[in-house]
Amino acid sequence: GELQGNGNILYVYIFAAIALFILLIACINFMNLATARSATRAREVSLRKVVGAHRGELIRQFLGETVFYSVVALAIALLMVKLALPYFSSISGIEMQLSLAALPGLLPAFLGLILFVGLAAGSYPALFLSSFQPATVLKGSVRSGKAAARFRSTLVVSQFIISIALIIGTSIILNQIRYMKKKDLGFEKTNVIVSEIRDAKLQRSMESIKAQLLQVPGVVSVASSDIVPGGQPDVNVCVPEGLSEDQSQIMENFDVDQDFFATLGIKVILGRNFSQEFGTEEEEAIIVNEAAVKKFGWDDPIGKIVKIPSNYAADGQSLEFSDRKVVGVVEDYHLASLHKVIAPQVLEFGSGRSLSIKLDPRNQAATVEQIKTKWTEIDPSRPFYYSFLDETFDSQYRAEERLSDVFASFTVFAIFIACLGLFGMASYTAEQKTREIGIRKVLGATVLGMVALLSKEFVKLVVVANLVAWPIAYFVMNNWLQSFAYRSSITLWIFLVTGFSALAIALLTVSYQSVRAALLDPVTAIKYE
């Protein structure tokens, strides 16, 4: 009953975890490039050791450099956050600000973040670089061993696992949103506007209001009810025929008039609709949905009796039940979002506070303006507030839409950062193989063959990343889909498209360095020091 719905704390945890993963990708890139280019600092480390530097001092030096990079990165990040806040505020629906007043409270977190990044990104390079032996390095024998190469490959695979999993997650979320918006809901939500009448006096004149609105050109039909799809119905304890009072059942219960089903396109599949021609509809008749018929095992529901609470004590407990006869059965329709299973319903005859107005799809804007004009005659004291039913119903999926937007943003960041690291690794690999490329070209290797040679290792790493990321993404997203009673299936094409996309991104990233190296003049390459 709050004025505004709360968010889901699970999404906060998910976003925090994804942000941490993206930060780890950046740390992985730093470790990769720092260890890959270790030869450029090997002489420096060796000379420092020769003049008396201890390994602990070198480790502190390298960690200090990384922490300094983190401080600079934090300053740039704060500027980027300030610029990006309007975008994220529009996604989240919450006005977020980064003010000077908030900074003192955030400083401990910032300091912790700087230390975390500095230690996570700098620890392995510091340990690796400080382990060089001066005698070996100064003789020119420093080499990047197989263990270091395997470690770098593992880091590349790790960052692509995160990126691929995010792409798959975003695709599945978007697929579920499309499924929810396109699924047959059992009623027509387009070309219908809804309005709520809060004045009790006007509610008693509902038939007169409907008659006046029907005079407006472009209005096809008008209905009243307690709620409209997307609203929250009352829940009552009812006793269907065939069960005793101690076997009472929970059922959704609300009032509709005789025009409700026709206006929203809900099908009466058995029996009849409500009608004012029967003078006792309010006291005797009810309509149930298919879910109720299935739950109670009725083969012939028409004429069945359902006991409905008619009088309550002060504590809310039922004192009396009145017998109501089932006169019709409507096809199941989604009163709530697809998060929930369609519940058994018992619908009573009456006029509620909600108006549903079916419009001719042609020139709806003019029709709405005429309805507003007519409303000044119906209720001069209040303007006509309305919304389109499809927008109102689909607003239940706003959290999922925001989730997909944030996921997409995180995915772009993750891919971009992963590609930066891959670009650096490709540059390093091409540099290391410069002489080999020159010799191969002299012996007749083609440019295409050299590009394939340089790209082969990265393609293998992305393939391995796909094989690891697919089951992880499937497990996580399948669990997320379980929160929907009606959900789309996770299809193989999502994984295949994502896999090929990751390969294409990786190839595009390394292709520049590969082609550049392959086009190098053989004479220059062989002379390369």
Side-chain angles (χ1 to χ4, degrees):
E2 293 179 279
L3 294 176
Q4 183 174 341
N6 292 316
N8 190 340
I9 189 63
L10 176 63
Y11 289 158
V12 178
Y13 295 147
I14 291 172
F15 296 151
I18 293 173
L20 180 61
F21 282 138
I22 292 175
L23 194 59
L24 287 176
I25 289 177
C27 293
I28 287 169
N29 281 344
F30 183 86
M31 284 188 278
N32 252 338
L33 297 176
T35 54
R37 296 189 174 275
S38 57
T40 59
R41 302 203 67 176
R43 286 181 175 273
E44 174 196 344
V45 171
S46 300
L47 287 172
R48 286 179 182 275
K49 281 189 172 183
V50 167
V51 297
H54 298 291
R55 188 180 184 190
E57 293 172 331
L58 291 170
I59 290 173
R60 286 193 292 274
Q61 175 199 339
F62 291 128
L63 287 177
E65 290 176 3
T66 311
V67 170
F68 173 75
Y69 295 149
S70 298
V71 173
V72 175
L74 176 65
I76 298 172
L78 287 173
L79 177 61
M80 293 177 68
V81 167
K82 187 71 175 177
L83 296 173
L85 272 181
Y87 170 69
F88 280 102
S89 294
S90 67
I91 290 177
S92 65
I94 300 170
E95 189 62 35
M96 294 183 286
Q97 293 182 346
L98 181 64
S99 60
L100 291 175
L103 287 179
L106 293 172
L107 279 178
F110 289 161
L111 290 174
L113 191 61
I114 288 170
L115 290 174
F116 169 78
V117 173
L119 293 174
S123 55
Y124 179 75
L127 293 170
F128 180 75
L129 291 170
S130 63
S131 67
F132 288 144
Q133 297 299 318
T136 304
V137 172
L138 294 176
K139 285 179 182 178
S141 303
V142 61
R143 290 176 181 268
S144 180
K146 291 183 178 180
R150 280 196 298 269
F151 181 73
R152 288 196 298 272
S153 298
T154 302
L155 295 180
V156 170
V157 170
S158 299
Q159 58 185 317
F160 266 90
I161 288 172
I162 296 171
S163 300
I164 292 165
L166 285 174
I167 296 173
I168 293 172
T170 303
S171 301
I172 291 174
I173 293 170
L174 291 171
N175 196 40
Q176 176 64 13
I177 292 172
R178 281 194 297 269
Y179 172 81
M180 291 187 296
K181 290 189 173 182
K182 292 183 178 180
K183 187 181 186 299
D184 182 9
L185 300 172
F187 71 92
E188 298 172 8
K189 64 180 180 178
T190 56
N191 305 317
V192 177
I193 61 173
V194 293
S195 180
E196 188 173 345
I197 300 176
R198 298 182 179 272
D199 187 271
K201 182 180 177 182
L202 282 175
Q203 288 177 15
R204 291 192 291 270
S205 306
M206 192 62 77
E207 288 303 315
S208 173
I209 293 172
K210 288 170 57 179
Q212 293 181 69
L213 290 174
L214 282 170
Q215 296 172 7
V216 176
V219 173
V220 178
S221 63
V222 184
S224 71
S225 56
D226 277 344
I227 60 167
V228 295
Q232 183 64 43
D234 290 332
V235 177
N236 262 329
V237 177
C238 305
V239 183
E241 184 176 314
L243 300 177
S244 59
E245 288 192 12
D246 60 354
Q247 295 176 305
S248 57
Q249 303 290 316
I250 299 293
M251 299 180 71
E252 293 179 347
N253 179 211
F254 56 98
D255 291 352
V256 301
D257 68 5
Q258 69 276 6
D259 299 312
F260 180 77
F261 302 125
T263 300
L264 295 185
I266 299 171
K267 299 175 183 176
V268 179
I269 57 175
L270 284 176
R272 63 174 176 83
N273 189 7
F274 290 125
S275 174
Q276 290 182 329
E277 294 178 3
F278 300 89
T280 57
E281 293 284 73
E282 290 190 34
E283 294 79 22
E284 295 182 359
I286 57 169
I287 291 176
V288 297
N289 65 349
E290 288 180 291
V293 174
K294 292 173 186 174
K295 182 173 183 179
F296 306 136
W298 289 338
D299 294 326
D300 185 13
I302 304 303
K304 296 291 186 183
I305 301 298
V306 178
K307 295 180 181 294
I308 295 178
S310 58
N311 194 11
Y312 294 89
D315 61 358
Q317 295 296 314
S318 170
L319 289 178
E320 297 178 5
F321 287 92
S322 61
D323 290 346
R324 300 294 184 88
K325 182 167 52 174
V326 177
V327 299
V329 177
V330 294
E331 191 174 55
D332 279 342
Y333 64 96
H334 290 272
L335 187 65
S337 73
L338 270 65
H339 283 282
K340 300 177 181 178
V341 176
I342 296 174
Q345 291 179 355
V346 54
L347 309 174
E348 300 181 67
F349 181 67
S351 58
R353 63 181 181 274
S354 295
L355 273 176
S356 301
I357 306 171
K358 182 78 171 179
L359 305 179
D360 190 311
R362 295 166 295 182
N363 205 11
Q364 288 185 358
T367 303
V368 171
E369 290 302 316
Q370 291 182 66
I371 291 174
K372 290 179 180 178
T373 303
K374 175 62 73 173
W375 195 259
T376 58
E377 302 173 14
I378 297 171
D379 186 7
S381 61
R382 295 179 183 85
F384 180 69
Y385 293 107
Y386 72 96
S387 60
F388 281 89
L389 180 57
D390 54 354
E391 294 175 359
T392 304
F393 192 86
D394 289 345
S395 67
Q396 298 175 102
Y397 308 125
R398 196 165 290 143
E400 284 73 31
E401 290 175 339
R402 288 171 179 164
L403 178 66
S404 70
D405 289 341
V406 176
F407 247 74
S409 301
F410 278 145
T411 301
V412 171
F413 276 123
I415 293 171
F416 177 71
I417 296 171
C419 287
L420 283 178
L422 197 62
F423 186 85
M425 284 296 296
S427 174
Y428 169 75
T429 302
E431 183 181 328
Q432 292 292 100
K433 292 180 178 288
T434 301
R435 302 189 89 185
E436 177 188 342
I437 291 168
I439 294 170
R440 285 180 178 273
K441 290 189 73 175
V442 168
L443 295 175
T446 63
V447 171
L448 187 61
M450 296 312 305
V451 170
L453 175 70
L454 293 171
S455 304
K456 180 176 64 176
E457 290 302 317
F458 296 106
V459 169
K460 287 180 182 177
L461 296 179
V462 176
V463 170
V464 172
N466 272 290
L467 295 177
V468 177
W470 287 6
I472 295 173
Y474 178 84
F475 175 77
V476 173
M477 296 313 299
N478 188 55
N479 282 346
W480 177 76
L481 285 173
Q482 299 308 311
S483 64
F484 297 89
Y486 305 91
R487 49 189 175 268
S488 60
S489 58
I490 300 179
T491 54
L492 180 61
W493 70 265
I494 292 176
F495 296 89
L496 293 176
V497 171
T498 301
F500 284 118
S501 299
L503 278 173
I505 291 169
L507 286 173
L508 284 173
T509 303
V510 303
S511 61
Y512 171 76
Q513 293 292 356
S514 301
V515 171
R516 184 167 169 265
L519 292 175
L520 192 64
D521 181 61
V523 175
T524 306
I526 293 171
K527 287 181 179 179
Y528 180 77
E529 291 290 333

